[in-house]
Every structure is written in C-alpha cells, then in structure tokens.
Amino acid sequence: KKKNRKMNAAALLDRVSAFFFDCDGVLWHGDTVIPGAAEALHFLKNKGKKVFFVTNNSTKSRAAYVHKFRQLGLPAEEQEIYSSSFAAAAYLERIKFAETKKKVYVVGEEGIIDEISALGIECLGGPADSGKVVSYTEETAVDKDVGAVVVGYDRSINYYKINYANLCINDNDRCLFIATNRDARTHLVPSQMAAGGGSMVGAIVGCTGKEPIVAGKPSSLLVEVLVEKHNLKPSQICMVGDRLDTDILFGKSNGMVTLLVMTGVTDEALLAQADATCKPDLVTHSVADLFVPQTKM
C-alpha cells in the first residue's frame, strides 16, 4: 500500500546548507534517470546549496561517474563525487599505505584500481584475474608484498579471486582486509534486486573468518573527509538516500538530517520495521520533491 508522501521542502532548505545524495535508487535506476532529478539538482545549486554525491558503487572512478552524470543530463563535477572506491583509497592514504611500498590485491572492478593507482600504489587482481582458474595439483603463488586486500562489487568474481584474497589475508604478515561497502542487494535494472557488493565481501569473510574495515557508507570515513575538505557542519547536511541500513544509518550516526526517498530499495513495510538507528527524519516520494516551484525564500 503506497502512502501519499511529500515533505515540506522549503522548511528543509531553511535548515541545511549542503546535500549528500546517494545515486542508485535516488537519482537513477541503472541507466534510467529518475524523473525530476535534474531539475531538483539544478534548483538546489541555484539556491547556493552545496551538493555532493556519496555512492557505495565502487565499479567506477570519479572521472567515469562524471561521464555517467553528463550522459543522464545531471549536473555534477568530479570534486562533488565520493564513491566507495574513493573511500577505500582515502583510507589507504590516511594510514600512509603508499609509504610501506606494499601492494593491494583487488576483488572488484576498474573503479577501485583507478582510485588506488592514483595514489601511486600498485594494484594486482581485479579484471586481470577474471579468467584465472585454481590448480588442483599446485599451490597458488601469492605475492608476499600484498599488504591489503580491497573487496568491492565484482561482476566477474570467481574462485581464483576469492582464494587469492583468502591466502593474502590469512598468510601475508598484517595484511589488511578492506571492504568498499557491504550492501546486500542492488538495482541493476529497475524491476529486480540483484546481489550487491556485500555478497563479494561475504565470500571473503566466509573463508578468512575476519571482518573487514568498511570504507563506504555507513562508515564515518567519507563524512570526515568531506566535512574537513569543504568546511561543513554535519548538522547542516541533509543525507538523501533510499537505503535504511546504509544511507539513513550513515546520516544519523554522523549527526546529519536524513531524508528517505521511496524510489529505491525501501518500501513501506521495511520503513515500518526500521529501528531508531536508521529511522529517517523525513520521508518523501522522490528526489523531485526537493524542487520548490516559484518559492519566495
């Protein structure tokens, strides 16, 4: 049963100076833009609001994201985009991983490799290991210089990658296990919920018995980077998302105003079950509701 939900956008605009938007399920589904998203973004920018895009999708670098935004007719600059692949790289930068001269093994796609390589860190794995098969008779040779395994969404995940990650994490001295995110499910097409990046992370948890450091939402890492870099106050930021367990939890646990849109993975039944840690401050049907026509603000 769908409720007629529309919030008071004018009151929200008075309260906040910046907006963090999730992308999948909020601005688009796959390659289909959500109606009214472009108008809402232009409107907020014209009102002088700072706008950032904080996504747990790790498959693209920020440059590739700009291309996608432009293709869909959405206004975005590279410095406004913060993906979970960027978050994983930001974590490695924060701990000065490059200074160790160690390498990173990637279970994931190009976005992770692009962001980590940009720090001067050598990456192994990723798409290059998509066709590899584990031998039944010989040991898998593992590079002892791998000091971190970064796991994200990977449409070409296979046993070779899972096993190589397992061998690095379990056998290499103090090897870090970093997840871009743990989203259980995702929209690849609007009509269906597919397995998300959390399924790849789960495979590595299953064989190592270790829990990862999570770089993307709901971890506080991205907020810390953004708040510091753009001189923001968390209480003046509105996090707009479609997921309770990542977007809304991320906003609430970091002191932001939270707005749930009903165009993504959350339906009325899920919303009704939400506990206090991920109950949104505001709920509205779509991102289009942020556009306030002929407002006299």
Side-chain angles (χ1 to χ4, degrees), residues 64-224:
Y65 258 112
V66 170
H67 181 67
K68 173 158 187 169
F69 272 89
R70 297 211 170 130
Q71 273 187 317
L72 294 177
L74 298 171
E77 305 299 325
E78 190 168 321
Q79 66 271 20
E80 295 171 334
I81 297 167
Y82 290 83
S83 64
S84 63
S85 46
F86 168 84
Y91 177 76
L92 291 170
E93 189 171 33
R94 177 178 275 197
I95 63 168
K96 298 184 166 50
F97 185 85
E99 292 177 15
T100 68
K101 301 282 189 279
K102 288 190 170 179
K103 302 171 190 175
V104 172
Y105 185 75
V106 174
V107 178
E109 301 191 11
E110 291 293 349
I112 300 173
I113 290 176
D114 289 348
E115 293 288 357
I116 294 173
S117 300
L119 300 176
I121 296 168
E122 186 181 341
C123 289
L124 309 175
D129 283 359
S130 295
K132 293 186 181 174
V133 177
V134 173
S135 164
Y136 279 128
T137 54
E138 292 169 23
E139 276 192 3
T140 300
V142 175
D143 191 322
K144 289 293 171 197
D145 289 331
V146 171
V149 172
V150 176
V151 183
Y153 182 74
D154 187 346
R155 282 167 293 190
S156 304
I157 193 164
N158 57 20
Y159 181 72
Y160 182 90
K161 294 182 191 180
I162 293 169
N163 187 47
Y164 200 101
N166 150 64
L167 292 169
C168 291
I169 292 165
N170 278 331
D171 298 349
N172 283 7
D173 186 40
R174 292 197 296 276
C175 181
L176 299 169
F177 173 19
I178 300 165
T180 60
N181 71 86
R182 297 189 85 160
D183 292 9
R185 302 172 84 199
T186 187
H187 272 121
L188 300 182
V189 294
S191 57
Q192 201 174 46
M193 291 296 295
S199 59
M200 290 81 197
V201 177
I204 311 305
V205 171
C207 59
T208 61
K210 296 192 166 90
E211 290 294 320
I213 296 154
V214 180
K217 296 175 292 190
S219 161
S220 62
L221 180 74
L222 279 173
V223 182
E224 289 161 16

